[in-house]
Amino acid sequence: MLLHIDKVSKTYRRKSGDVCALQDVSLDLDAGEFVAVRGPSGCGKSTLLMTTGGLLGPDSGQILFNGKNPYELSPHARAEFRGRSIGFVFQQFHLVPYLDVLDNVLAPSLAVASTSNGVRDRAHDLVKHFGLMKRSHHVPAELSSGERQRTALARALLNEPQLLLADEPTGNLDGKSADTVLSHLQEFAENGGAVLLVTHDERAVPFADRVIHLCEGRIESNGS
Amino acid sequence: MSVWRLVVREINHRRLNFLLSLLSVTVGVACLIGAQTLLKADRVTTGQLLNDRQAEIEIAVAEKQKAVEKAGKELQDAIRKQMLGLGFNVLILPEDQELSELHLNGTMSATMPEQYVDKLAASKIVTVNHLLPSVTKRIHWDERDREIILVGTRGEVPILHRGMKKPLLAEVAPGKIVLGHEIHKQLELKVNDSVTLNGSDFTVSAVHSERGSVDDVTVWINLAAAQELLGMQNLINAILALECECSGDRISQIRAEIVSILPGTQVVEKYSQALTRAEAREKTKQSAEAALAAEEKAGQKLLTQERSARRQLEDRHAGFAAVLTPLVIFASLLMIGLLTFANTRQRTSEIGILCAIGLTTPKIMFVFLSKAAVTGLIGGLCGVGLGLTTGVLLGGLPSNGITLPDLFATGGLLTTVASAPLLALAMTGIASWVPALYAARRDPAAILQGD
Ligand SMILES: Nc1ncnc2c1ncn2[C@@H]1O[C@H](COP(=O)(O)OP(=O)(O)OP(=O)(O)O)[C@@H](O)[C@H]1O
Ligand SMILES: [Mg+2]
């Protein structure tokens, strides 16, 4: 079992009131699996993803990644764990605006020590694989949404993570671009990676091995 | 991918932020360096000005010194030639000669035999070197209708036991006449003119310049002629003894020796004309010395004034720098801090993603502090350039003859300039530390869910 999420709860405590974003959420994910979590806006999808990715500690329950709880690591070690094992893709891309496509893809090499030649070759391969060769020296502002999302995806894959966490990666994309991105995620899973996709987008359903419904922070169905 | 690549790309992307930060550092460092350069320029200028002034004073003093030396030499020369040459002089008079007559009228009525001089010359006298017998009488010059002092002298009488010395005073030759200043001036006589003095004819052989004494109304002729003219054959009024060589109570020694040879005489010290002249020279020397002292004093005063004026200027600049420099540096620090903070706000999304892709807190801080270092280093160098230029211009260089290398010749400024980039580095580091820490500590989850 690559990822074991066990009765995780998360409540945002604010002056204006507490918001219970996740409640006893349990979920297992194996390597090579593509799971889509669907649910309406505000149901806690992004919260689940951050918690899973080691960016947001749960209030209760635990997350085990390869049997280890990342929140038991020091912040420093947890950052390194993220750099090595997890790739993130977001709806807003979060590309570095002043770096061109190739440099954006290379950004994760800032975190993980690797031979510069090896990582450059890999970045090059990824750019080529995602059909961004002609755009490799363009900055994000000069790219289409689909190209930006593919750049973000390539960046997430640079350090060869075991788990890819995608938050609404198709939210801003038209049908064709969304399909391209989803098929790349599928491809990653087929090659042995695990994908946890959170979305309200129905287009994701055919690509996923499993679809889970989340509603008001609770898992409604753990279907296939 | 290295952090430096990220930093350079970011700087290139957000040029305004970078340029403003750079400007802040530059201004801060320029203020420090400018102030230090100006203060150094002040000090060097002061040193040079005072040196120049000192040199001027030394030259003036040296000139005065030369004048003093010259006056001193002239005095010495005068003393050597006239005082030492003459020794000091005594007048040997008949015992019954009233001194008041001599002093009031410049004439003498008591007489003694002319052979006295030969007797003295033949004696073994040791205290006297030259002997001049003379007659001196106040007479009326009939042809010119005026009162004069007539002096008859026969020149020097050699002192036998010593052999003839080089005559100190030439005798007036027979038929010749020497005229005092007043006489030749008023009678408009000059050398080689012929004159008749109470029936005897003479040719003018010399005229004296003004001496301010009875000499000015005196005429000198040969002793024999004078004796004949005055009806004083074989008589004289006085023997002038010159170059008396005695130390200690000289006059009593001389008096004792002379009176033992020539009883019935008195010995009077004669105040020499040479002494008067020497005294005048002594006065010249004294006034030259006074001028030298005054010059030295005036020079010192000028130097003191100049020094205090320069000190005031330097103090004013130093006071200004002491207030302005920390103020500007503080403002620069604040500005850099605010700009770095603004930069972290602009880079929120970037911070979130850097965190998500595994950058640790120190590494994210490193990204911001590296940029601060680049800013600090470049700003520091620009600041040094700007500061030196400003300091040089405000310091009045190079028109005052001082060049930039002069300012670096003695330590201080070089150390400041060399350490300025490091200081700028520290400045930007400190000012960026808090914003960088704030950036690195931000919650990536909140950032990444946001927008
Ligand atoms: N930082 C936060 N502070 C307080 N409440 C929060 C915070 N982030 C999210 N929430 C609340 O928690 C709940 C779950 O939010 P979350 O972002 O996980 O939902 P979501 O399913 O991703 O929504 P969407 O589909 O619109 O992105 C929401 O009600 C939201 O208002
Ligand atoms: Mg969301």
Side-chain angles (χ1 to χ4, degrees):
Chain A
M1 185 72 50
L2 179 71
L3 178 69
H4 178 63
I5 301 174
D6 186 26
K7 289 185 181 158
V8 162
S9 294
K10 176 75 192 175
T11 301
Y12 293 107
R13 294 179 200 288
R14 295 291 180 269
K15 277 182 199 147
S16 42
D18 293 353
V19 180
C20 181
L22 294 176
Q23 229 179 325
D24 290 331
V25 172
S26 296
L27 179 70
D28 287 334
L29 193 63
D30 260 323
E33 234 187 331
F34 184 164
V35 172
V37 176
R38 289 196 61 216
S41 180
C43 69
K45 301 186 295 292
S46 295
T47 306
L48 175 64
L49 213 67
M50 296 298 165
T51 311
T52 308
L55 286 167
L56 189 65
D59 297 335
S60 62
Q62 63 171 356
I63 289 158
L64 295 177
F65 192 90
N66 283 326
K68 278 183 204 155
N69 185 346
Y71 294 102
E72 283 169 359
L73 299 172
S74 68
H76 192 94
R78 194 159 61 246
E80 286 182 339
F81 151 76
R82 277 197 304 273
R84 263 183 285 103
S85 308
I86 297 189
F88 285 95
V89 185
F90 302 95
Q91 181 175 354
Q92 292 87 6
F93 322 125
H94 290 303
L95 294 174
V96 181
Y98 49 84
L99 295 181
D100 64 17
V101 167
L102 192 62
D103 280 337
N104 259 295
V105 172
L106 274 166
S109 66
L110 284 170
V112 177
S114 52
T115 60
S116 66
N117 271 344
V119 80
R120 278 200 82 81
D121 289 347
R122 176 151 171 78
H124 208 264
D125 291 346
L126 283 166
V127 166
K128 203 168 162 187
H129 182 72
F130 287 103
L132 295 163
M133 239 3 234
K134 282 185 185 159
R135 293 282 172 270
S136 64
H137 292 299
H138 288 251
V139 292
E142 297 163 356
L143 302 176
S144 73
S145 297
E147 286 164 340
R148 285 181 213 184
Q149 197 55 290
R150 276 180 279 147
T151 306
L153 191 54
R155 177 180 66 191
L157 297 179
L158 183 82
N159 286 338
E160 298 176 308
Q162 291 170 276
L163 175 63
L164 195 63
L165 299 173
D167 191 350
E168 306 275 15
T170 55
N172 284 327
L173 304 183
D174 62 27
K176 192 163 174 277
S177 301
D179 283 355
T180 313
V181 170
L182 288 167
S183 59
H184 280 304
L185 294 179
Q186 193 179 37
E187 183 191 26
F188 175 71
E190 279 164 5
N191 289 335
V195 178
L196 183 61
L197 168 73
V198 298
T199 184
H200 60 253
D201 194 346
E202 282 185 349
R203 290 176 294 186
V205 175
F207 293 89
D209 300 326
R210 242 184 328 142
V211 179
I212 295 168
H213 287 271
L214 196 67
C215 193
E216 293 184 355
R218 288 172 181 277
I219 304 273
E220 278 207 327
S221 71
N222 209 334
S224 62
Chain B
M1 171 111 140
S2 69
V3 167
W4 296 112
R5 190 177 174 87
L6 196 74
V7 167
V8 170
R9 290 286 155 94
E10 202 274 333
I11 286 172
N12 191 43
H13 182 66
R14 298 197 180 92
R15 290 190 200 110
L16 187 64
N17 180 285
F18 177 69
L19 287 178
L20 288 175
S21 302
L22 207 62
L23 193 69
S24 303
V25 182
T26 303
V27 167
V29 172
C31 186
L32 177 76
I33 296 292
Q36 293 304 310
T37 310
L38 177 60
L39 295 182
K40 188 64 186 253
D42 280 352
R43 275 198 294 278
V44 174
T45 308
T46 299
Q48 204 182 51
L49 257 165
L50 293 181
N51 278 350
D52 287 355
R53 189 66 76 237
Q54 180 93 48
E56 277 167 25
I57 290 165
E58 272 165 14
I59 288 169
V61 166
E63 262 164 27
K64 288 283 185 300
Q65 186 90 50
K66 240 179 246 163
V68 168
E69 269 164 25
K70 193 170 163 238
K73 231 178 237 146
E74 272 169 8
L75 176 66
Q76 263 187 3
D77 206 40
I79 289 169
R80 188 185 55 75
K81 254 196 335 234
Q82 305 195 36
M83 263 294 286
L84 294 184
L86 291 174
F88 83 94
N89 312 326
V90 298
L91 207 53
I92 304 162
L93 303 171
E95 202 171 27
D96 53 356
Q97 173 63 50
E98 286 282 342
L99 288 182
S100 57
E101 189 198 2
L102 173 66
H103 293 319
L104 291 172
N105 304 327
T107 64
M108 290 167 271
S109 44
T111 57
M112 55 187 171
E114 189 181 344
Q115 61 163 106
Y116 266 30
V117 70
D118 303 316
K119 193 173 170 194
L120 202 56
S123 73
K124 300 241 180 271
I125 191 159
V126 292
T127 52
V128 173
N129 280 333
H130 305 274
L131 298 170
L132 283 121
S134 66
V135 293
T136 305
K137 193 137 233 154
R138 183 173 167 156
I139 59 161
H140 188 258
W141 188 348
D142 296 339
E143 288 84 356
R144 302 284 175 164
D145 189 25
R146 58 173 301 145
E147 294 288 311
I148 58 162
I149 307 287
L150 178 72
V151 175
T153 107
R154 88 174 205 208
E156 212 167 302
V157 178
I159 294 173
L160 293 178
H161 71 277
R162 299 192 195 167
M164 186 62 189
K165 280 201 167 181
K166 189 170 145 249
L168 205 59
L169 290 176
E171 68 169 317
V172 182
K176 300 289 180 192
I177 191 166
V178 174
L179 304 174
H181 180 72
E182 276 303 304
I183 295 170
H184 78 78
K185 212 182 83 188
Q186 281 177 10
L187 304 182
E188 294 177 345
L189 293 171
K190 47 189 192 300
V191 175
N192 291 331
D193 283 354
S194 297
V195 290
T196 309
L197 173 60
N198 294 358
S200 304
D201 293 330
F202 297 96
T203 308
V204 179
S205 64
V207 291
H208 285 317
S209 52
E210 192 169 0
R211 287 177 179 174
S213 69
V214 71
D215 283 0
D216 290 345
V217 291
T218 302
V219 304
W220 291 266
I221 57 174
N222 186 268
L223 179 64
Q227 283 169 330
E228 197 177 313
L229 211 72
L230 297 170
M232 289 174 63
Q233 281 84 352
N234 298 321
L235 291 176
I236 53 173
N237 294 116
I239 300 166
L240 186 59
L242 300 171
E243 272 191 30
C244 303
E245 294 170 350
C246 290
S247 53
D249 185 9
R250 47 194 189 170
I251 188 72
S252 54
Q253 273 186 50
I254 294 166
R255 189 172 280 142
E257 192 173 19
I258 290 173
V259 172
S260 72
I261 301 163
L262 302 175
T265 58
Q266 59 175 326
V267 174
V268 178
E269 191 174 3
K270 188 164 163 59
Y271 196 67
S272 159
Q273 194 68 35
L275 259 178
T276 317
R277 266 175 242 154
E279 254 175 15
R281 290 210 161 86
E282 174 68 27
K283 276 220 177 72
T284 312
K285 190 187 166 224
Q286 271 170 7
S287 67
E289 276 167 354
L292 170 68
E295 187 74 42
E296 275 172 343
K297 208 174 145 197
Q300 284 311 317
K301 196 176 161 199
L302 199 73
L303 215 57
T304 312
Q305 278 173 353
E306 184 99 39
R307 194 174 286 134
S308 91
R310 289 297 305 176
R311 187 168 298 140
Q312 269 176 18
L313 179 93
E314 283 179 26
D315 287 352
R316 220 167 39 238
H317 283 172
F320 195 55
V323 174
L324 193 70
T325 309
L327 214 67
V328 171
I329 288 181
F330 179 74
S332 299
L333 283 171
L334 202 68
M335 195 68 190
I336 296 160
L338 287 174
L339 286 163
T340 312
F341 184 72
N343 192 234
T344 64
R345 303 289 298 185
Q346 283 179 308
R347 299 171 76 174
T348 300
S349 154
E350 187 186 332
I351 293 163
I353 198 67
L354 288 177
C355 205
I357 63 179
L359 261 76
T360 57
T361 302
K363 226 166 189 171
I364 292 176
M365 277 191 79
F366 183 67
V367 170
F368 283 92
L369 293 177
S370 300
K371 184 187 174 184
V374 172
T375 315
L377 212 63
I378 298 176
L381 292 173
C382 292
V384 166
L386 184 66
L388 281 177
T389 311
T390 313
V392 158
L393 291 178
L394 288 179
L397 273 65
S399 55
N400 58 5
I402 295 167
T403 59
L404 204 51
D406 293 339
L407 300 187
F408 288 108
T410 51
L413 189 59
L414 188 66
T415 320
T416 312
V417 165
S419 54
L422 296 177
L423 182 94
L425 219 58
M427 256 171 73
T428 49
I430 290 165
S432 303
W433 193 270
V434 173
L437 196 66
Y438 159 81
R441 288 272 171 86
R442 288 195 68 181
D443 179 8
I447 295 172
L448 294 168
Q449 285 184 76
D451 278 33

